[in-house]
mmCIF file of all heavy atoms in Angstrom:
data_model
loop_
_atom_site.group_PDB
_atom_site.id
_atom_site.type_symbol
_atom_site.label_atom_id
_atom_site.label_comp_id
_atom_site.label_asym_id
_atom_site.label_seq_id
_atom_site.Cartn_x
_atom_site.Cartn_y
_atom_site.Cartn_z
ATOM 1 N N ARG A 1 -26.558 245.692 62.675
ATOM 2 C CA ARG A 1 -26.146 244.846 61.564
ATOM 3 C C ARG A 1 -27.133 244.952 60.406
ATOM 4 O O ARG A 1 -28.306 245.262 60.591
ATOM 5 C CB ARG A 1 -26.030 243.392 62.012
ATOM 6 C CG ARG A 1 -24.809 243.135 62.885
ATOM 7 C CD ARG A 1 -23.554 243.081 62.049
ATOM 8 N NE ARG A 1 -22.361 242.900 62.874
ATOM 9 C CZ ARG A 1 -21.172 242.594 62.393
ATOM 10 N NH1 ARG A 1 -21.009 242.460 61.091
ATOM 11 N NH2 ARG A 1 -20.143 242.461 63.198
ATOM 12 N N ARG A 2 -26.649 244.646 59.238
ATOM 13 C CA ARG A 2 -27.428 244.829 58.021
ATOM 14 C C ARG A 2 -28.297 243.600 57.716
ATOM 15 O O ARG A 2 -27.803 242.478 57.702
ATOM 16 C CB ARG A 2 -26.483 245.092 56.846
ATOM 17 C CG ARG A 2 -27.184 245.579 55.598
ATOM 18 C CD ARG A 2 -26.180 245.753 54.484
ATOM 19 N NE ARG A 2 -25.211 246.794 54.743
ATOM 20 C CZ ARG A 2 -25.393 248.060 54.435
ATOM 21 N NH1 ARG A 2 -26.523 248.460 53.882
ATOM 22 N NH2 ARG A 2 -24.453 248.946 54.682
ATOM 23 N N CYS A 3 -29.574 243.841 57.472
ATOM 24 C CA CYS A 3 -30.465 242.783 57.005
ATOM 25 C C CYS A 3 -30.323 242.684 55.490
ATOM 26 O O CYS A 3 -30.525 243.667 54.771
ATOM 27 C CB CYS A 3 -31.913 243.091 57.387
ATOM 28 S SG CYS A 3 -33.085 241.863 56.766
ATOM 29 N N VAL A 4 -29.969 241.527 55.023
ATOM 30 C CA VAL A 4 -29.727 241.334 53.601
ATOM 31 C C VAL A 4 -31.021 241.073 52.844
ATOM 32 O O VAL A 4 -31.267 241.648 51.791
ATOM 33 C CB VAL A 4 -28.737 240.170 53.383
ATOM 34 C CG1 VAL A 4 -28.471 239.944 51.902
ATOM 35 C CG2 VAL A 4 -27.431 240.437 54.122
ATOM 36 N N ARG A 5 -31.851 240.214 53.386
ATOM 37 C CA ARG A 5 -33.102 239.857 52.700
ATOM 38 C C ARG A 5 -34.196 239.526 53.701
ATOM 39 O O ARG A 5 -33.922 239.065 54.808
ATOM 40 C CB ARG A 5 -32.903 238.648 51.784
ATOM 41 C CG ARG A 5 -32.055 238.925 50.562
ATOM 42 C CD ARG A 5 -32.065 237.727 49.616
ATOM 43 N NE ARG A 5 -31.321 238.048 48.413
ATOM 44 C CZ ARG A 5 -30.014 237.849 48.268
ATOM 45 N NH1 ARG A 5 -29.313 237.332 49.254
ATOM 46 N NH2 ARG A 5 -29.403 238.170 47.140
ATOM 47 N N VAL A 6 -35.424 239.726 53.258
ATOM 48 C CA VAL A 6 -36.601 239.273 53.981
ATOM 49 C C VAL A 6 -37.238 238.172 53.148
ATOM 50 O O VAL A 6 -37.538 238.379 51.971
ATOM 51 C CB VAL A 6 -37.613 240.413 54.208
ATOM 52 C CG1 VAL A 6 -38.832 239.887 54.957
ATOM 53 C CG2 VAL A 6 -36.962 241.553 54.984
ATOM 54 N N LEU A 7 -37.445 237.015 53.733
ATOM 55 C CA LEU A 7 -38.038 235.875 53.029
ATOM 56 C C LEU A 7 -39.502 235.758 53.428
ATOM 57 O O LEU A 7 -39.819 235.544 54.597
ATOM 58 C CB LEU A 7 -37.286 234.585 53.369
ATOM 59 C CG LEU A 7 -35.755 234.623 53.234
ATOM 60 C CD1 LEU A 7 -35.162 233.252 53.532
ATOM 61 C CD2 LEU A 7 -35.330 235.110 51.869
ATOM 62 N N ARG A 8 -40.388 235.893 52.443
ATOM 63 C CA ARG A 8 -41.825 235.833 52.687
ATOM 64 C C ARG A 8 -42.419 234.652 51.934
ATOM 65 O O ARG A 8 -42.054 234.396 50.795
ATOM 66 C CB ARG A 8 -42.506 237.127 52.215
ATOM 67 C CG ARG A 8 -41.970 238.393 52.861
ATOM 68 C CD ARG A 8 -42.692 239.618 52.318
ATOM 69 N NE ARG A 8 -42.088 240.850 52.788
ATOM 70 C CZ ARG A 8 -42.341 241.417 53.961
ATOM 71 N NH1 ARG A 8 -43.213 240.851 54.786
ATOM 72 N NH2 ARG A 8 -41.741 242.543 54.312
ATOM 73 N N GLY A 9 -43.350 233.974 52.564
ATOM 74 C CA GLY A 9 -43.991 232.838 51.924
ATOM 75 C C GLY A 9 -44.869 232.042 52.869
ATOM 76 O O GLY A 9 -45.878 231.477 52.459
ATOM 77 N N HIS A 10 -44.500 232.016 54.155
ATOM 78 C CA HIS A 10 -45.323 231.335 55.155
ATOM 79 C C HIS A 10 -46.544 232.185 55.500
ATOM 80 O O HIS A 10 -46.508 233.417 55.420
ATOM 81 C CB HIS A 10 -44.513 231.056 56.415
ATOM 82 C CG HIS A 10 -43.526 229.933 56.281
ATOM 83 N ND1 HIS A 10 -43.917 228.623 56.105
ATOM 84 C CD2 HIS A 10 -42.166 229.932 56.287
ATOM 85 C CE1 HIS A 10 -42.836 227.862 56.027
ATOM 86 N NE2 HIS A 10 -41.763 228.625 56.128
ATOM 87 N N THR A 11 -47.615 231.519 55.880
ATOM 88 C CA THR A 11 -48.858 232.203 56.221
ATOM 89 C C THR A 11 -49.141 232.196 57.720
ATOM 90 O O THR A 11 -50.202 232.638 58.157
ATOM 91 C CB THR A 11 -50.042 231.566 55.475
ATOM 92 O OG1 THR A 11 -50.121 230.172 55.804
ATOM 93 C CG2 THR A 11 -49.868 231.724 53.970
ATOM 94 N N ASP A 12 -48.220 231.667 58.503
ATOM 95 C CA ASP A 12 -48.334 231.689 59.958
ATOM 96 C C ASP A 12 -46.921 231.849 60.515
ATOM 97 O O ASP A 12 -45.945 231.854 59.763
ATOM 98 C CB ASP A 12 -49.001 230.411 60.475
ATOM 99 C CG ASP A 12 -49.706 230.619 61.815
ATOM 100 O OD1 ASP A 12 -49.284 231.531 62.558
ATOM 101 O OD2 ASP A 12 -50.656 229.880 62.120
ATOM 102 N N MET A 13 -46.799 231.982 61.820
ATOM 103 C CA MET A 13 -45.493 232.238 62.409
ATOM 104 C C MET A 13 -44.482 231.158 62.035
ATOM 105 O O MET A 13 -44.817 229.979 61.907
ATOM 106 C CB MET A 13 -45.609 232.380 63.927
ATOM 107 C CG MET A 13 -45.987 231.129 64.663
ATOM 108 S SD MET A 13 -45.961 231.381 66.468
ATOM 109 C CE MET A 13 -47.399 232.419 66.708
ATOM 110 N N VAL A 14 -43.245 231.569 61.816
ATOM 111 C CA VAL A 14 -42.163 230.657 61.449
ATOM 112 C C VAL A 14 -41.425 230.291 62.729
ATOM 113 O O VAL A 14 -40.870 231.164 63.406
ATOM 114 C CB VAL A 14 -41.197 231.296 60.441
ATOM 115 C CG1 VAL A 14 -40.198 230.266 59.938
ATOM 116 C CG2 VAL A 14 -41.970 231.905 59.276
ATOM 117 N N TYR A 15 -41.427 229.004 63.054
ATOM 118 C CA TYR A 15 -40.946 228.592 64.360
ATOM 119 C C TYR A 15 -39.485 228.160 64.361
ATOM 120 O O TYR A 15 -38.817 228.223 65.384
ATOM 121 C CB TYR A 15 -41.828 227.465 64.903
ATOM 122 C CG TYR A 15 -41.559 227.166 66.359
ATOM 123 C CD1 TYR A 15 -41.748 228.145 67.328
ATOM 124 C CD2 TYR A 15 -41.092 225.920 66.765
ATOM 125 C CE1 TYR A 15 -41.488 227.894 68.658
ATOM 126 C CE2 TYR A 15 -40.828 225.660 68.098
ATOM 127 C CZ TYR A 15 -41.027 226.646 69.047
ATOM 128 O OH TYR A 15 -40.756 226.396 70.365
ATOM 129 N N ASP A 16 -38.962 227.713 63.229
ATOM 130 C CA ASP A 16 -37.585 227.235 63.217
ATOM 131 C C ASP A 16 -36.998 227.404 61.820
ATOM 132 O O ASP A 16 -37.726 227.432 60.815
ATOM 133 C CB ASP A 16 -37.529 225.759 63.631
ATOM 134 C CG ASP A 16 -36.118 225.295 63.971
ATOM 135 O OD1 ASP A 16 -35.257 226.149 64.257
ATOM 136 O OD2 ASP A 16 -35.875 224.074 63.958
ATOM 137 N N ALA A 17 -35.675 227.508 61.755
ATOM 138 C CA ALA A 17 -34.969 227.611 60.477
ATOM 139 C C ALA A 17 -33.552 227.096 60.660
ATOM 140 O O ALA A 17 -32.974 227.213 61.742
ATOM 141 C CB ALA A 17 -34.941 229.049 59.968
ATOM 142 N N CYS A 18 -32.998 226.522 59.595
ATOM 143 C CA CYS A 18 -31.622 226.042 59.668
ATOM 144 C C CYS A 18 -30.982 226.073 58.287
ATOM 145 O O CYS A 18 -31.671 225.996 57.264
ATOM 146 C CB CYS A 18 -31.554 224.624 60.247
ATOM 147 S SG CYS A 18 -32.305 223.351 59.208
ATOM 148 N N TYR A 19 -29.663 226.207 58.260
ATOM 149 C CA TYR A 19 -28.897 226.181 57.018
ATOM 150 C C TYR A 19 -28.561 224.748 56.632
ATOM 151 O O TYR A 19 -28.379 223.880 57.496
ATOM 152 C CB TYR A 19 -27.581 226.936 57.192
ATOM 153 C CG TYR A 19 -27.652 228.423 56.962
ATOM 154 C CD1 TYR A 19 -27.919 229.287 58.014
ATOM 155 C CD2 TYR A 19 -27.432 228.968 55.708
ATOM 156 C CE1 TYR A 19 -27.964 230.662 57.823
ATOM 157 C CE2 TYR A 19 -27.475 230.336 55.494
ATOM 158 C CZ TYR A 19 -27.743 231.172 56.554
ATOM 159 O OH TYR A 19 -27.796 232.531 56.355
ATOM 160 N N SER A 20 -28.437 224.525 55.328
ATOM 161 C CA SER A 20 -27.867 223.271 54.853
ATOM 162 C C SER A 20 -26.364 223.304 55.114
ATOM 163 O O SER A 20 -25.770 224.382 55.235
ATOM 164 C CB SER A 20 -28.148 223.088 53.363
ATOM 165 O OG SER A 20 -27.552 224.132 52.607
ATOM 166 N N PRO A 21 -25.710 222.145 55.200
ATOM 167 C CA PRO A 21 -24.269 222.130 55.506
ATOM 168 C C PRO A 21 -23.406 222.893 54.512
ATOM 169 O O PRO A 21 -22.343 223.397 54.881
ATOM 170 C CB PRO A 21 -23.936 220.631 55.500
ATOM 171 C CG PRO A 21 -25.220 219.967 55.854
ATOM 172 C CD PRO A 21 -26.286 220.790 55.199
ATOM 173 N N ASP A 22 -23.847 222.992 53.247
ATOM 174 C CA ASP A 22 -23.056 223.746 52.272
ATOM 175 C C ASP A 22 -23.392 225.234 52.272
ATOM 176 O O ASP A 22 -22.769 226.018 51.537
ATOM 177 C CB ASP A 22 -23.229 223.170 50.861
ATOM 178 C CG ASP A 22 -24.672 223.227 50.363
ATOM 179 O OD1 ASP A 22 -25.519 223.850 51.040
ATOM 180 O OD2 ASP A 22 -24.959 222.632 49.307
ATOM 181 N N GLY A 23 -24.373 225.640 53.075
ATOM 182 C CA GLY A 23 -24.722 227.039 53.203
ATOM 183 C C GLY A 23 -25.521 227.615 52.049
ATOM 184 O O GLY A 23 -25.792 228.820 52.021
ATOM 185 N N ARG A 24 -25.933 226.787 51.116
ATOM 186 C CA ARG A 24 -26.628 227.289 49.929
ATOM 187 C C ARG A 24 -28.140 227.344 50.108
ATOM 188 O O ARG A 24 -28.832 228.017 49.346
ATOM 189 C CB ARG A 24 -26.287 226.411 48.723
ATOM 190 C CG ARG A 24 -24.805 226.434 48.356
ATOM 191 C CD ARG A 24 -24.482 225.402 47.309
ATOM 192 N NE ARG A 24 -25.237 225.627 46.081
ATOM 193 C CZ ARG A 24 -25.226 224.788 45.038
ATOM 194 N NH1 ARG A 24 -24.515 223.677 45.097
ATOM 195 N NH2 ARG A 24 -25.924 225.077 43.963
ATOM 196 N N ARG A 25 -28.664 226.643 51.106
ATOM 197 C CA ARG A 25 -30.111 226.600 51.303
ATOM 198 C C ARG A 25 -30.470 226.789 52.761
ATOM 199 O O ARG A 25 -29.663 226.542 53.658
ATOM 200 C CB ARG A 25 -30.688 225.276 50.799
ATOM 201 C CG ARG A 25 -30.554 225.093 49.293
ATOM 202 C CD ARG A 25 -31.017 223.737 48.861
ATOM 203 N NE ARG A 25 -30.866 223.565 47.414
ATOM 204 C CZ ARG A 25 -31.112 222.438 46.779
ATOM 205 N NH1 ARG A 25 -31.517 221.379 47.434
ATOM 206 N NH2 ARG A 25 -30.947 222.369 45.461
ATOM 207 N N VAL A 26 -31.700 227.218 52.961
ATOM 208 C CA VAL A 26 -32.268 227.347 54.301
ATOM 209 C C VAL A 26 -33.605 226.626 54.311
ATOM 210 O O VAL A 26 -34.396 226.768 53.370
ATOM 211 C CB VAL A 26 -32.463 228.830 54.692
ATOM 212 C CG1 VAL A 26 -33.388 228.959 55.894
ATOM 213 C CG2 VAL A 26 -31.122 229.489 54.980
ATOM 214 N N ALA A 27 -33.861 225.855 55.340
ATOM 215 C CA ALA A 27 -35.160 225.209 55.528
ATOM 216 C C ALA A 27 -35.880 225.901 56.674
ATOM 217 O O ALA A 27 -35.257 226.290 57.667
ATOM 218 C CB ALA A 27 -34.997 223.723 55.825
ATOM 219 N N SER A 28 -37.188 226.063 56.540
ATOM 220 C CA SER A 28 -37.975 226.731 57.583
ATOM 221 C C SER A 28 -39.211 225.919 57.919
ATOM 222 O O SER A 28 -39.826 225.300 57.051
ATOM 223 C CB SER A 28 -38.371 228.144 57.146
ATOM 224 O OG SER A 28 -39.116 228.121 55.944
ATOM 225 N N ALA A 29 -39.581 225.926 59.194
ATOM 226 C CA ALA A 29 -40.765 225.226 59.691
ATOM 227 C C ALA A 29 -41.752 226.248 60.206
ATOM 228 O O ALA A 29 -41.384 227.195 60.904
ATOM 229 C CB ALA A 29 -40.382 224.256 60.807
ATOM 230 N N SER A 30 -43.023 226.058 59.887
ATOM 231 C CA SER A 30 -44.029 227.045 60.254
ATOM 232 C C SER A 30 -45.273 226.388 60.821
ATOM 233 O O SER A 30 -45.549 225.207 60.580
ATOM 234 C CB SER A 30 -44.413 227.883 59.028
ATOM 235 O OG SER A 30 -45.537 228.700 59.285
ATOM 236 N N LEU A 31 -46.020 227.189 61.550
ATOM 237 C CA LEU A 31 -47.293 226.715 62.066
ATOM 238 C C LEU A 31 -48.353 226.640 60.979
ATOM 239 O O LEU A 31 -49.482 226.238 61.251
ATOM 240 C CB LEU A 31 -47.754 227.618 63.213
ATOM 241 C CG LEU A 31 -46.760 227.772 64.372
ATOM 242 C CD1 LEU A 31 -47.455 228.384 65.578
ATOM 243 C CD2 LEU A 31 -46.110 226.459 64.745
ATOM 244 N N ASP A 32 -48.002 227.010 59.734
ATOM 245 C CA ASP A 32 -48.932 226.848 58.612
ATOM 246 C C ASP A 32 -48.884 225.427 58.034
ATOM 247 O O ASP A 32 -49.443 225.168 56.976
ATOM 248 C CB ASP A 32 -48.658 227.879 57.512
ATOM 249 C CG ASP A 32 -47.273 227.724 56.885
ATOM 250 O OD1 ASP A 32 -46.577 226.726 57.154
ATOM 251 O OD2 ASP A 32 -46.874 228.621 56.117
ATOM 252 N N LYS A 33 -48.175 224.511 58.741
ATOM 253 C CA LYS A 33 -48.076 223.087 58.396
ATOM 254 C C LYS A 33 -47.114 222.801 57.247
ATOM 255 O O LYS A 33 -47.052 221.680 56.754
ATOM 256 C CB LYS A 33 -49.460 222.488 58.051
ATOM 257 C CG LYS A 33 -50.547 222.731 59.073
ATOM 258 C CD LYS A 33 -51.875 222.187 58.592
ATOM 259 C CE LYS A 33 -53.001 222.584 59.523
ATOM 260 N NZ LYS A 33 -54.323 222.115 59.038
ATOM 261 N N LYS A 34 -46.352 223.802 56.826
ATOM 262 C CA LYS A 34 -45.464 223.630 55.677
ATOM 263 C C LYS A 34 -44.001 223.758 56.085
ATOM 264 O O LYS A 34 -43.655 224.445 57.047
ATOM 265 C CB LYS A 34 -45.771 224.668 54.598
ATOM 266 C CG LYS A 34 -47.164 224.580 53.992
ATOM 267 C CD LYS A 34 -47.349 225.634 52.925
ATOM 268 C CE LYS A 34 -48.754 225.622 52.339
ATOM 269 N NZ LYS A 34 -49.777 226.011 53.314
ATOM 270 N N VAL A 35 -43.165 223.075 55.296
ATOM 271 C CA VAL A 35 -41.729 223.263 55.345
ATOM 272 C C VAL A 35 -41.317 223.862 54.007
ATOM 273 O O VAL A 35 -41.637 223.311 52.952
ATOM 274 C CB VAL A 35 -40.984 221.929 55.575
ATOM 275 C CG1 VAL A 35 -39.475 222.128 55.465
ATOM 276 C CG2 VAL A 35 -41.348 221.331 56.932
ATOM 277 N N LEU A 36 -40.647 225.000 54.039
ATOM 278 C CA LEU A 36 -40.177 225.640 52.815
ATOM 279 C C LEU A 36 -38.653 225.584 52.772
ATOM 280 O O LEU A 36 -37.991 225.718 53.804
ATOM 281 C CB LEU A 36 -40.640 227.089 52.733
ATOM 282 C CG LEU A 36 -42.150 227.351 52.752
ATOM 283 C CD1 LEU A 36 -42.426 228.839 52.524
ATOM 284 C CD2 LEU A 36 -42.878 226.505 51.727
ATOM 285 N N ILE A 37 -38.109 225.374 51.579
ATOM 286 C CA ILE A 37 -36.666 225.390 51.377
ATOM 287 C C ILE A 37 -36.337 226.555 50.453
ATOM 288 O O ILE A 37 -36.942 226.705 49.388
ATOM 289 C CB ILE A 37 -36.169 224.055 50.794
ATOM 290 C CG1 ILE A 37 -36.496 222.908 51.774
ATOM 291 C CG2 ILE A 37 -34.668 224.109 50.541
ATOM 292 C CD1 ILE A 37 -36.084 221.542 51.290
ATOM 293 N N TRP A 38 -35.384 227.371 50.871
ATOM 294 C CA TRP A 38 -35.061 228.621 50.198
ATOM 295 C C TRP A 38 -33.646 228.590 49.633
ATOM 296 O O TRP A 38 -32.743 227.986 50.228
ATOM 297 C CB TRP A 38 -35.146 229.797 51.177
ATOM 298 C CG TRP A 38 -36.390 229.856 51.998
ATOM 299 C CD1 TRP A 38 -36.684 229.130 53.125
ATOM 300 C CD2 TRP A 38 -37.530 230.694 51.783
ATOM 301 N NE1 TRP A 38 -37.916 229.462 53.613
ATOM 302 C CE2 TRP A 38 -38.465 230.423 52.814
ATOM 303 C CE3 TRP A 38 -37.848 231.661 50.833
ATOM 304 C CZ2 TRP A 38 -39.681 231.071 52.912
ATOM 305 C CZ3 TRP A 38 -39.062 232.313 50.925
ATOM 306 C CH2 TRP A 38 -39.972 232.021 51.949
ATOM 307 N N GLY A 39 -33.454 229.268 48.517
ATOM 308 C CA GLY A 39 -32.113 229.494 48.004
ATOM 309 C C GLY A 39 -31.528 230.723 48.674
ATOM 310 O O GLY A 39 -32.135 231.791 48.644
ATOM 311 N N VAL A 40 -30.372 230.581 49.292
ATOM 312 C CA VAL A 40 -29.783 231.689 50.035
ATOM 313 C C VAL A 40 -29.368 232.829 49.102
ATOM 314 O O VAL A 40 -29.553 234.004 49.413
ATOM 315 C CB VAL A 40 -28.579 231.200 50.860
ATOM 316 C CG1 VAL A 40 -27.823 232.369 51.476
ATOM 317 C CG2 VAL A 40 -29.044 230.245 51.952
ATOM 318 N N SER A 41 -28.815 232.504 47.950
ATOM 319 C CA SER A 41 -28.312 233.538 47.055
ATOM 320 C C SER A 41 -29.420 234.375 46.420
ATOM 321 O O SER A 41 -29.233 235.541 46.103
ATOM 322 C CB SER A 41 -27.458 232.911 45.950
ATOM 323 O OG SER A 41 -28.238 232.017 45.159
#
């Protein structure tokens, strides 16, 4: 399958990720103590 994008920004392993219900955003949890929210498009 085709990888569309690689999202970089965390400085430690990314342990979890989930889509928003409208599919427009992704939230990620990392061992770097941060939660990042990404635009899918």
